[in-house]
């Protein structure tokens, strides 16, 4: 396992403008019954090396759809959803969809992504309540995706032992997360007890409810630094 990681502050001259990739509603992922599993694809290139599936927090119901020809969806302020512009580049694409604990639903997405991007390495990233789904699916996905990233995780991350899984697992948490159900101490304990890879973030701005997206819980003000650290970890996996 990697040693405890800290955010790396890059020199301003190394920062390129975020890539604003077009949003595309995809409805080709389907359950065995034929029911669609819609998702939003953001990609800057035709053949990304990595595809990151995003599970937002809260209720996790993004529910992407077209209304009068316009793409409509929820959770635009969520840390992961609003930070997609820092994820997407020629190597990275994102898939934004409803958070789910269902192996059948995630498998429908994986099958569709395999057809669309056969060479891409797929990661699943959840935040807050979304991390409950990423940890619940860890065993099922252990031999199906390259890895999972659990950000601002709920307290049960304390007992999450990534050594059991064949793929890569990363815990990301703000040191000053003030939400009572997502204490930094639990994330730190998962690293100390099991050696789970951990990125501990500092800084930024905390506004309003400590459990909401614009507090330290949602990495407010350090979105880019947090995403850059995660992408560095992903690239280390090849």
């Amino acid at each position: 396992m990697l040693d405890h990681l800290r955010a790396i502050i890059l020199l301003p001259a190394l920062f390129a403008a975020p890539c604003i990739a077009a949003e595309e509603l995809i409805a080709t992922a389907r359950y065995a019954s034929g029911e669609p599993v819609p998702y939003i694809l953001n990609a800057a290139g035709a053949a990304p090396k990595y595809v990151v599936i995003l599970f937002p927090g809260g209720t996790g119901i993004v529910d992407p759809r077209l209304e009068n020809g316009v793409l409509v969806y929820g959770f635009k302020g969520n840390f992961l959803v609003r930070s997609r512009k820092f994820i997407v580049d020629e190597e990275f694409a994102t898939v934004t969809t409803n958070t789910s604990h269902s192996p059948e639903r995630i498998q429908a997405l994986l099958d569709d992504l395999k057809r669309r991007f056969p060479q891409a390495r797929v990661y699943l990233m959840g935040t807050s309540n979304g991390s409950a789904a990423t940890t619940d699916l860890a065993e099922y996905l252990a031999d199906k995706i390259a890895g999972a990233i659990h950000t601002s995780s709920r307290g049960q991350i304390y007992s999450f032992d990534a050594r059991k899984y064949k793929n890569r697992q990363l815990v990301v948490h703000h040191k000053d997360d003030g939400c009572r159900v997502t204490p930094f101490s639990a994330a730190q304990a998962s690293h100390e007890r099991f050696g789970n890879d951990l990125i501990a973030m500092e800084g930024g701005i905390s506004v309003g409810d400590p459990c909401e997206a614009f507090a330290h819980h949602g990495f407010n003000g350090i979105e880019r630094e947090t995403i850059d650290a995660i992408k560095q970890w992903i690239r280390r996996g090849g």
Side-chain angles (χ1 to χ4, degrees):
M1 292 290 184
L2 298 175
D3 291 333
H4 183 86
L5 298 176
R6 298 288 297 275
I8 299 175
I9 305 302
L10 301 179
L11 293 174
L14 298 180
F15 279 138
C19 178
I20 308 301
E23 298 181 327
E24 182 181 2
L25 178 63
I26 306 295
T28 50
R30 295 183 178 272
Y31 289 108
S33 66
E35 179 186 355
V37 179
Y39 63 87
I40 302 167
L41 175 66
N42 291 80
K49 186 174 182 179
Y50 309 101
V51 177
V52 185
I53 301 171
L54 306 178
F55 276 6
T59 64
I61 306 300
V62 179
D63 193 21
R65 62 204 181 276
L66 289 177
E67 292 185 358
N68 299 319
V70 177
L71 178 58
V72 176
Y73 55 94
F75 282 90
K76 291 185 179 181
N78 177 263
F79 161 61
L80 294 181
V81 180
R82 74 176 189 265
S83 297
R84 289 172 297 169
K85 62 186 178 182
F86 301 124
I87 302 174
V88 177
D89 58 27
E90 289 296 324
E91 285 191 322
F92 283 82
T94 62
V95 164
T96 307
T97 189
N98 291 357
T99 297
S100 175
H101 298 251
S102 167
E104 184 183 7
R105 183 181 175 91
I106 193 71
Q107 189 61 56
L109 289 170
L110 295 179
D111 291 344
D112 195 66
L113 293 172
K114 183 66 174 177
R115 290 189 292 268
R116 189 174 294 271
F117 305 118
Q119 302 303 317
R121 296 174 66 81
V122 177
Y123 282 82
L124 174 63
M125 179 156 57
T127 196
S128 193
N129 280 348
S131 70
T134 58
T135 52
D136 283 354
L137 288 169
E139 182 174 1
Y140 177 77
L141 295 173
D143 60 354
K144 296 177 175 65
I145 64 173
I149 301 115
H150 320 279
T151 75
S152 301
S153 303
R154 294 179 63 92
Q156 60 259 42
I157 200 71
Y158 173 87
S159 58
F160 181 72
D161 185 356
R163 296 173 300 182
K164 298 187 294 184
Y165 308 116
K166 298 177 182 178
N167 57 3
R168 306 175 73 217
Q169 304 282 329
L170 172 66
V171 178
V172 183
H173 219 98
H174 197 294
K175 283 188 171 183
D176 296 320
D177 188 334
C179 185
R180 67 187 183 283
V181 297
T182 60
F184 173 71
S185 59
Q188 186 175 35
S190 79
H191 171 69
E192 294 173 351
R193 296 177 73 201
F194 307 117
N196 296 341
D197 288 356
L198 172 67
I199 294 174
M201 299 301 299
E202 298 178 276
I205 306 164
S206 190
V207 178
D209 187 329
C211 293
E212 293 298 330
F214 290 96
H216 289 314
H217 179 69
F219 305 97
N220 186 22
I222 54 168
E223 292 91 345
R224 180 161 198 161
E225 291 87 347
T226 305
I227 293 300
D228 281 350
I230 291 169
K231 289 171 72 174
Q232 288 176 18
W233 177 87
I234 289 174
R235 289 189 182 102
R236 288 192 186 101

